[in-house]
Amino acid sequence: MSMDIDAPVSIPSLLSIQQTGATILCCNCGAPIDGTTSAGALCYDCVKLTVDISEGIQREATLHICRDCERWLQPPAHWITAAPESRELLALCLRKLRGLSKVRIIDASFIWTEPHSRRVKVKITIQQEAFQGTILQQTFEVEYVVAYHQCPDCAKSFTANTWRAVVQVRQKVPHKRTFLYLEQLILKHSAHRDTINIKEVRDGLDFYYSQRNHAEKFLDFLTSVAPVRTKKSQELISMDIHTSTKSYKFSFSVELIPICKDDLVALPIKLAKQIGNIAPLTICYRIGTSINLLDPNTLQTADVSTPIYWRSPFTSLADVQELVEFVVMDIEPLGPTKGRFILAEATVTRASDLGVNDTTYFTRTHLGGILHPGDSVMGYHLTGTNFNSPQFEALEESSAHASSIPDVLLVKKFYARKKKTKSRNWRLKRMNKDEGEMLPKKQDQERMERDFEMFLRDVEEDSELRGTVALYKARQEQREREKERVRMEGVETAASVVETDEDDSEDLPGIDVGELLEDFEDLHVRDGELEHDE
């Protein structure tokens, strides 16, 4: 039996079969489109024209800014700091729009507007799926109106008795030199930026704050720069009996050590032995976080820390208001030096005794590097002076220290100046303080001006003191006013007297221009001034 074999039959490949899709016409414009992928029988161009994915999103909104602190309101009650056209402000603008959470944000950017127009424009690009398989991208603009609204913090600052914490700084001394120095430290480190008010009182300053933590931060700053003693108290303002919520006002009392630079100090004999066996009769040459004392006879120094001082407090024998002017007749360096101090033996006489008697005093001094015969120097005249101090009485009764009390203690070199000082090329910033309801009396005002002038002279003469404060270049109008005053004085004064004053002023200490800072508030030049300078 025979078997028949079928002839081979070719099977066409599946890839060779051409698949043709269904082509339909757009129901809107009649353009041919693929019916299997099209959505709603519309072409892509007609979908973009007929479908608005930004529907329901605001095109106008309002932004609130506080014109005092320049912070923006982030609803419901949070205030944030944001610079113009910053990322923080852009995020705030996007949060203000309703319906933006339903779409996908691709890009957002600011459109430039005039700064005074009080308008902010933002261009936003979004994406959303219009139909199944069809994603649209659209760009639109939103305009914001900037409205002014005062924040609660600024509202409290303009309302009386709204403070929550106060720092009361006090020092019982007859002058304001310490507070002038403390003011410069506060300005240099911007430690007063959170205060809502600064009030000047009889023996110090009061700093008011809207929050307790701001006052504690300022208290930490004072502790880090000055020897102080603090005390805290609180007063209950109100209490909610349902939630047991209480509201307090906090008061921080800060007392500065009543010893200042260049004061004459008589240490208790026991304390003098504990801090290095220094001579009990010393001069305070610097005040930092502790009291720095110097023995002019041996150049030995010692530090009295704040806890040690308040454990057994003492006062100064005499302050700078009791300094007497002496004239150096002869001076001879002895050799020992310590920093800027050079030990020397000097023969001096009181300036008021010149031509009256021949009384001279022999003493040791630490000013051997700057004193020369004929110079004037300020010092304490101890001979015949009565001090109401138990520490000084203990020195006079002590057999070991009674013979070491000198007749004169020299403190600093005296520079002869005119009654009206020449114009300075530098200046210091001052804090805006509330003087209270009662303005200072005329004699108090003169005393304050005298203390400020003495502080300016200390800044000129002491390089260490200059390094701790911020000095700024004098304003142009201030220089012109001082030059005009000097010119008018020169017209009224004889030529020979002017030449003598110029010769005497050459030895006065000055401040190099390289040590001065530029104040950014003085860099705003008006067009008229610019044309005049050209």
Side-chain angles (χ1 to χ4, degrees), residues 7 16 29 71 73 93 118 177 250 252 262 297-298 323 328 340 355 357 366 424 434 446 488 510 516 519 534:
S16 62
C29 63
R71 293 188 299 173
L73 174 63
C93 294
R118 294 173 60 185
R177 291 170 56 220
F250 300 91
F252 299 91
D262 298 334
N297 294 320
T298 60
L323 288 174
V328 179
R340 58 190 176 98
N357 54 51
H366 60 290
R424 292 184 172 95
D434 184 10
E446 293 177 353
M488 295 301 295
L516 305 180
D519 191 1
E534 294 178 353

Short mmCIF file of all heavy atoms in Angstrom, two decimals, residues 7 16 29 71 73 93 118 177 250 252 262 297-298 323 328 340 355 357 366 424 434 446 488 510 516 519 534:
data_model
loop_
_atom_site.label_atom_id
_atom_site.label_comp_id
_atom_site.label_asym_id
_atom_site.label_seq_id
_atom_site.Cartn_x
_atom_site.Cartn_y
_atom_site.Cartn_z
N ALA A 7 2.28 18.14 -0.91
CA ALA A 7 3.31 19.13 -1.27
C ALA A 7 3.39 20.19 -0.18
O ALA A 7 2.40 20.53 0.47
CB ALA A 7 2.95 19.78 -2.60
N SER A 16 4.52 39.99 8.27
CA SER A 16 4.29 40.55 6.94
C SER A 16 2.88 41.02 6.72
O SER A 16 2.57 41.64 5.71
CB SER A 16 4.66 39.50 5.88
OG SER A 16 3.82 38.36 6.04
N CYS A 29 -13.20 69.72 13.61
CA CYS A 29 -12.54 70.36 12.48
C CYS A 29 -12.46 69.46 11.24
O CYS A 29 -12.07 69.91 10.17
CB CYS A 29 -11.14 70.82 12.85
SG CYS A 29 -10.03 69.47 13.31
N ARG A 71 7.00 91.41 56.99
CA ARG A 71 6.72 89.97 56.99
C ARG A 71 5.40 89.72 56.29
O ARG A 71 4.50 90.56 56.28
CB ARG A 71 6.70 89.41 58.41
CG ARG A 71 8.03 89.44 59.12
CD ARG A 71 7.96 88.69 60.44
NE ARG A 71 6.99 89.30 61.34
CZ ARG A 71 6.64 88.78 62.50
NH1 ARG A 71 7.18 87.63 62.90
NH2 ARG A 71 5.77 89.39 63.29
N LEU A 73 1.89 87.37 55.61
CA LEU A 73 0.92 86.55 56.35
C LEU A 73 0.72 85.22 55.64
O LEU A 73 0.34 85.18 54.47
CB LEU A 73 -0.41 87.29 56.48
CG LEU A 73 -1.55 86.48 57.11
CD1 LEU A 73 -1.21 86.10 58.54
CD2 LEU A 73 -2.86 87.27 57.05
N CYS A 93 2.74 82.14 47.50
CA CYS A 93 1.78 82.48 46.44
C CYS A 93 1.05 81.23 45.94
O CYS A 93 -0.16 81.28 45.66
CB CYS A 93 2.50 83.16 45.28
SG CYS A 93 3.19 84.78 45.67
N ARG A 118 2.41 97.51 43.74
CA ARG A 118 1.75 96.65 44.72
C ARG A 118 1.03 95.50 44.04
O ARG A 118 -0.08 95.10 44.42
CB ARG A 118 0.78 97.45 45.59
CG ARG A 118 1.47 98.48 46.48
CD ARG A 118 0.48 99.36 47.18
NE ARG A 118 -0.43 98.61 48.03
CZ ARG A 118 -1.45 99.16 48.68
NH1 ARG A 118 -1.67 100.46 48.59
NH2 ARG A 118 -2.24 98.41 49.42
N ARG A 177 29.67 106.20 81.96
CA ARG A 177 30.67 105.68 81.03
C ARG A 177 30.51 104.19 80.80
O ARG A 177 30.70 103.69 79.68
CB ARG A 177 32.07 105.98 81.57
CG ARG A 177 32.43 107.46 81.56
CD ARG A 177 33.70 107.72 82.31
NE ARG A 177 34.80 106.91 81.78
CZ ARG A 177 35.71 106.32 82.54
NH1 ARG A 177 35.63 106.43 83.86
NH2 ARG A 177 36.69 105.63 82.01
N PHE A 250 7.41 88.85 83.29
CA PHE A 250 8.67 88.49 83.90
C PHE A 250 9.57 89.72 83.98
O PHE A 250 9.63 90.53 83.04
CB PHE A 250 9.36 87.39 83.09
CG PHE A 250 8.57 86.12 82.97
CD1 PHE A 250 7.69 85.93 81.92
CD2 PHE A 250 8.67 85.14 83.94
CE1 PHE A 250 6.96 84.77 81.81
CE2 PHE A 250 7.95 83.97 83.84
CZ PHE A 250 7.07 83.78 82.77
N PHE A 252 13.62 90.77 84.97
CA PHE A 252 14.98 90.31 85.23
C PHE A 252 15.79 91.52 85.69
O PHE A 252 15.93 92.49 84.94
CB PHE A 252 15.61 89.69 83.99
CG PHE A 252 14.87 88.48 83.47
CD1 PHE A 252 13.88 88.61 82.52
CD2 PHE A 252 15.17 87.22 83.95
CE1 PHE A 252 13.20 87.51 82.04
CE2 PHE A 252 14.50 86.10 83.48
CZ PHE A 252 13.51 86.25 82.52
N ASP A 262 39.89 102.65 85.33
CA ASP A 262 40.70 103.73 85.91
C ASP A 262 40.28 104.09 87.34
O ASP A 262 40.68 105.14 87.84
CB ASP A 262 40.67 104.99 85.05
CG ASP A 262 41.27 104.76 83.67
OD1 ASP A 262 42.12 103.85 83.55
OD2 ASP A 262 40.89 105.47 82.72
N ASN A 297 53.26 99.54 91.21
CA ASN A 297 54.61 99.46 91.77
C ASN A 297 55.39 98.25 91.24
O ASN A 297 56.62 98.29 91.16
CB ASN A 297 54.54 99.39 93.29
CG ASN A 297 54.01 100.69 93.88
OD1 ASN A 297 54.35 101.77 93.41
ND2 ASN A 297 53.17 100.57 94.91
N THR A 298 54.68 97.17 90.89
CA THR A 298 55.36 95.94 90.47
C THR A 298 54.87 95.42 89.12
O THR A 298 55.41 94.43 88.64
CB THR A 298 55.16 94.85 91.52
OG1 THR A 298 53.75 94.59 91.66
CG2 THR A 298 55.73 95.27 92.86
N LEU A 323 40.30 112.54 89.81
CA LEU A 323 41.67 112.58 89.32
C LEU A 323 42.23 114.00 89.40
O LEU A 323 41.51 114.98 89.17
CB LEU A 323 41.74 112.08 87.87
CG LEU A 323 41.53 110.57 87.67
CD1 LEU A 323 41.46 110.25 86.18
CD2 LEU A 323 42.64 109.78 88.34
N VAL A 328 54.98 115.94 84.97
CA VAL A 328 56.14 115.07 85.12
C VAL A 328 57.41 115.93 85.09
O VAL A 328 57.69 116.61 84.08
CB VAL A 328 56.18 114.01 84.01
CG1 VAL A 328 57.41 113.11 84.18
CG2 VAL A 328 54.90 113.18 84.03
N ARG A 340 51.75 96.37 77.36
CA ARG A 340 51.95 97.79 77.05
C ARG A 340 52.40 98.59 78.25
O ARG A 340 52.58 99.82 78.14
CB ARG A 340 50.64 98.38 76.50
CG ARG A 340 49.44 98.24 77.43
CD ARG A 340 48.17 98.62 76.73
NE ARG A 340 46.98 98.41 77.54
CZ ARG A 340 46.36 99.35 78.25
NH1 ARG A 340 46.85 100.58 78.24
NH2 ARG A 340 45.29 99.08 78.95
N GLY A 355 54.68 127.25 90.42
CA GLY A 355 54.81 128.67 90.72
C GLY A 355 54.32 129.06 92.08
O GLY A 355 54.44 130.23 92.47
N ASN A 357 54.56 126.55 95.11
CA ASN A 357 55.51 125.92 96.03
C ASN A 357 56.34 124.91 95.24
O ASN A 357 56.11 124.68 94.05
CB ASN A 357 54.78 125.26 97.21
CG ASN A 357 53.71 124.28 96.73
OD1 ASN A 357 53.98 123.41 95.90
ND2 ASN A 357 52.49 124.44 97.25
N HIS A 366 53.30 102.72 85.88
CA HIS A 366 53.29 101.76 84.78
C HIS A 366 53.26 102.44 83.42
O HIS A 366 53.16 101.77 82.39
CB HIS A 366 52.06 100.86 84.90
CG HIS A 366 50.76 101.61 84.85
ND1 HIS A 366 50.34 102.43 85.87
CD2 HIS A 366 49.81 101.69 83.89
CE1 HIS A 366 49.18 102.97 85.55
NE2 HIS A 366 48.83 102.54 84.35
N ARG A 424 36.07 115.30 64.46
CA ARG A 424 36.57 113.93 64.40
C ARG A 424 36.15 113.30 63.07
O ARG A 424 35.07 113.57 62.57
CB ARG A 424 36.01 113.11 65.56
CG ARG A 424 36.53 113.53 66.94
CD ARG A 424 35.99 112.59 68.00
NE ARG A 424 36.61 112.82 69.30
CZ ARG A 424 36.10 113.59 70.25
NH1 ARG A 424 34.96 114.23 70.02
NH2 ARG A 424 36.71 113.76 71.41
N ASP A 434 13.91 105.79 75.01
CA ASP A 434 12.79 106.59 75.48
C ASP A 434 13.19 107.25 76.79
O ASP A 434 13.51 106.58 77.78
CB ASP A 434 11.56 105.69 75.68
CG ASP A 434 10.34 106.50 76.07
OD1 ASP A 434 10.41 107.74 76.00
OD2 ASP A 434 9.31 105.88 76.43
N GLU A 446 24.07 118.40 80.69
CA GLU A 446 25.49 118.76 80.61
C GLU A 446 26.37 117.62 81.14
O GLU A 446 27.43 117.35 80.59
CB GLU A 446 25.74 120.04 81.39
CG GLU A 446 25.07 121.27 80.78
CD GLU A 446 25.27 122.50 81.64
OE1 GLU A 446 25.82 122.35 82.76
OE2 GLU A 446 24.88 123.60 81.21
N MET A 488 34.93 129.42 61.37
CA MET A 488 34.43 130.61 62.05
C MET A 488 35.24 130.91 63.30
O MET A 488 35.48 132.08 63.64
CB MET A 488 32.95 130.41 62.41
CG MET A 488 32.04 130.29 61.19
SD MET A 488 32.13 131.74 60.13
CE MET A 488 31.44 132.97 61.24
N GLY A 510 44.88 109.89 67.69
CA GLY A 510 43.89 109.86 66.63
C GLY A 510 43.60 108.42 66.23
O GLY A 510 44.23 107.48 66.69
N LEU A 516 38.07 102.37 60.55
CA LEU A 516 36.68 102.82 60.49
C LEU A 516 35.88 101.98 59.52
O LEU A 516 36.39 101.46 58.53
CB LEU A 516 36.62 104.30 60.08
CG LEU A 516 37.45 105.26 60.95
CD1 LEU A 516 37.29 106.68 60.43
CD2 LEU A 516 37.02 105.18 62.41
N ASP A 519 29.13 103.00 56.93
CA ASP A 519 27.75 102.81 57.33
C ASP A 519 26.89 102.72 56.08
O ASP A 519 26.90 103.63 55.24
CB ASP A 519 27.29 103.97 58.21
CG ASP A 519 25.94 103.68 58.87
OD1 ASP A 519 25.41 102.57 58.64
OD2 ASP A 519 25.44 104.54 59.60
N GLU A 534 30.17 115.63 40.45
CA GLU A 534 30.80 115.56 39.15
C GLU A 534 31.22 116.94 38.65
O GLU A 534 32.19 117.11 37.97
CB GLU A 534 29.84 114.91 38.14
CG GLU A 534 29.55 113.44 38.49
CD GLU A 534 28.55 112.84 37.52
OE1 GLU A 534 28.01 113.62 36.69
OE2 GLU A 534 28.30 111.61 37.58
#
